[in-house]
Amino acid sequence: MHVNRREFLRKSICAALGGASLYSALGNLRLVQAATNQTLFSDYKALVCIFLYGGNDSLNTLVPTSGIPLTNYKSLRGGLAQTTGLHALTPLAGGGASDSANYALHPGMPELATLFNSGKAAVVANVGTLLYPTSQLQFQNGSIAVPPQLLSHNDQQSQWQTSRPDDASANGWGGRVADLLHSGNSGQIPMSVSVSGTNLFQRGSIVNQYGVDPSGVTAMNYLGDGSETWIIGDGPIDDDVTAYNALIASGTQSNVLERAFADVNSRAITNYQLVTAALQSAPTLTTQFPNTDLGNQLAMVAKLISVRSALGMSRQVFFVSTGNYDTHSDQIENQQDNLSELSQAVSAFYNATTEPALNVANNVTTFTASDFGRSLQANSSGTDHGWGGHHFVVGGAVRGQRFYGTMPSLASNKNPDDTGYGQIIPTLAVDQYAATLATWFGVASGDLATVFPNLGRFSSANLGFV
């Protein structure tokens, strides 16, 4: 079946009946009210989001190896099909895929297969952005609202990171969780830490995301001329730096904008000093992380977790990411590199959490997210933009070695899970995926509707994978 992008977009826009809600104002107020009642946590937990920018082809990541699903897969994918070098998954009794087929991971993912088969990872099938549970007929006749701009990278990245397809101004769901729970930490460092730049997932109304580099915290530099650049709070002090410190000193500003500027800069300097000092005392980990972009990001996350007590952190939300997943062409080669990087980095990170210096394997849950899945049919040497896709959750608290959700049909004709244009309709909403993680993290059941206002439209608020 040929993927008609123009027609698919037209159907998507016509079916997007819902508008922005009142959540932004009312929901944020409820988050503030709930946060004021928060007490300090007696344990530690961290969520680690790995965002795969570009839209991962999960149909070539998780491959059927038996039955009708295998026959359909080969027919759909042709020369793009992965049929050799796969790493078999052996689910527990009762934890297999909903279609009863056997599945294996891409040739580049032996490490993740090992985590699954040892009970430390789970597959969550066919997750995507949804406003309501949606059938093929409802989508095609436009009788139910669906997320707008389903084939747009920017829109779908935003909707995955906010879980709010109906509110373009919404904060990220990670940020909303942090807004709710941040007062459970005793330290002043923000609960949300990004090792991959600014992102929407961690944007909150109360909690700002704190950015670090894989190599450490970037110092704030005084912008003098090239010969007079000094690190504020971490180096020699000259007259210019002294003057700058005087400008941001507490109680010396008369204008509200000046006070806001001074406050932001003062906190940045203080946080830099606190985090840098803590990292200098971090224990040495024996785990060898791969020297890749994602590997280095997760190595820094492990290092930050190792100094959690020094920073007064009981709850943390981390964000890391990698790109090049928009595989319209050369998918065989690109996915080999991409998925090998992902598998090796995730495995190393999990192993680090088991080290005695950290000992937090049961307290850290890592999960994948991506723009969307890819199209059912191959598109020359790649695939087109899709909708629903499979994801992985990893950690000691995960009820692993199991499949969750419903595997979509891969039939090329009369496929009830196909939009009619080659994209799989999700059967699990991002809301459900995110709410399950948030519940484990400490969000009370009574607060879930505040964080995820559309959650009640779906059959289950907890998918049970953690």
Side-chain angles (χ1 to χ4, degrees), residues 34 180 443-451:
L180 182 67
V443 175
S445 58
D447 292 326
L448 284 175
T450 300
V451 180

Side-chain angles (χ1 to χ4, degrees), residues 27-382:
N28 288 343
L29 176 60
R30 288 172 176 166
L31 287 173
V32 172
Q33 292 172 335
T36 60
N37 299 321
Q38 185 65 52
T39 58
L40 296 180
F41 291 102
S42 61
D43 61 354
Y44 175 80
K45 287 185 178 180
L47 285 174
V48 182
C49 175
I50 302 178
F51 205 92
L52 312 176
Y53 281 106
N56 179 43
D57 180 13
S58 61
L59 300 183
N60 264 26
T61 304
L62 180 69
V63 179
T65 58
S66 69
I68 294 175
L70 173 59
T71 302
N72 288 339
Y73 169 74
K74 289 180 177 179
S75 175
L76 276 175
R77 289 303 175 91
L80 204 64
Q82 295 281 359
T83 57
T84 61
L86 298 168
H87 302 284
L89 300 183
T90 55
L92 295 173
S98 62
D99 58 9
S100 300
N102 296 322
Y103 281 84
L105 290 185
H106 185 279
M109 307 184 80
E111 300 86 1
L112 193 53
T114 297
L115 286 173
F116 180 94
N117 292 333
S118 62
K120 307 305 180 186
V123 172
V124 186
N126 199 16
V127 188
T129 58
L130 286 170
L131 282 167
Y132 298 89
T134 302
S135 70
Q136 182 188 68
L137 179 61
Q138 289 171 323
F139 177 84
Q140 291 179 346
N141 65 22
S143 63
I144 198 166
V146 299
Q149 305 298 335
L150 284 173
L151 296 183
S152 161
H153 287 292
N154 290 340
D155 292 278
Q156 293 306 298
Q157 289 164 10
S158 296
Q159 292 172 30
W160 252 97
Q161 293 185 30
T162 66
S163 79
R164 294 304 311 278
D166 55 343
D167 186 353
S169 64
N171 288 328
W173 70 261
R176 299 198 299 271
V177 168
D179 283 346
L180 182 67
L181 302 181
H182 76 283
S183 60
N185 289 334
S186 61
Q188 76 167 56
I189 303 300
M191 176 186 287
S192 299
V193 180
S194 174
V195 197
S196 187
T198 303
N199 61 84
L200 182 53
F201 169 69
Q202 292 180 315
R203 191 182 75 186
S205 295
I206 304 171
V207 178
N208 294 319
Q209 52 193 282
Y210 185 71
V212 303
D213 291 331
S215 58
V217 187
T218 300
M220 190 175 110
N221 292 332
Y222 175 69
L223 300 179
D225 64 36
S227 63
E228 295 179 353
T229 300
W230 302 89
I231 297 176
I232 300 294
D234 187 44
I237 303 296
D238 67 1
D239 290 340
D240 292 336
V241 175
T242 301
Y244 185 83
N245 284 337
L247 285 173
I248 64 174
S250 178
T252 62
Q253 300 83 28
S254 59
N255 183 278
V256 65
L257 293 178
E258 291 175 340
R259 289 195 296 272
F261 175 85
D263 180 62
V264 168
N265 282 270
S266 296
R267 282 188 287 110
I269 293 168
T270 301
N271 287 343
Y272 164 76
Q273 293 170 333
L274 288 171
V275 176
T276 298
L279 289 176
Q280 287 173 347
S281 63
T284 301
L285 301 178
T286 61
T287 299
Q288 295 296 310
F289 281 83
N291 186 24
T292 60
D293 184 32
L294 187 58
N296 291 329
Q297 290 179 57
L298 287 173
M300 176 49 66
V301 173
K303 196 171 183 179
L304 288 165
I305 290 174
S306 76
V307 297
R308 62 195 182 279
S309 296
L311 295 174
M313 306 307 293
S314 296
R315 289 292 186 275
Q316 289 183 286
V317 179
F318 293 97
F319 181 86
V320 301
S321 72
T322 183
N324 201 38
Y325 278 80
D326 191 20
T327 50
H328 288 281
S329 60
D330 301 322
Q331 179 170 300
I332 295 292
E333 296 81 2
N334 289 332
Q335 264 206 319
Q336 179 65 38
D337 294 339
N338 295 343
L339 297 179
S340 293
E341 178 189 27
L342 175 65
S343 180
Q344 292 169 16
V346 169
S347 178
F349 180 67
Y350 174 78
N351 291 338
T353 67
T354 67
E355 289 196 35
L358 268 67
N359 193 30
V360 290
N362 293 336
N363 308 88
V364 179
T365 299
T366 303
F367 62 98
T368 62
S370 191
D371 315 18
F372 34 59
R374 310 294 294 188
S375 60
L376 286 161
Q377 294 81 8
N379 179 17
S380 182
S381 62

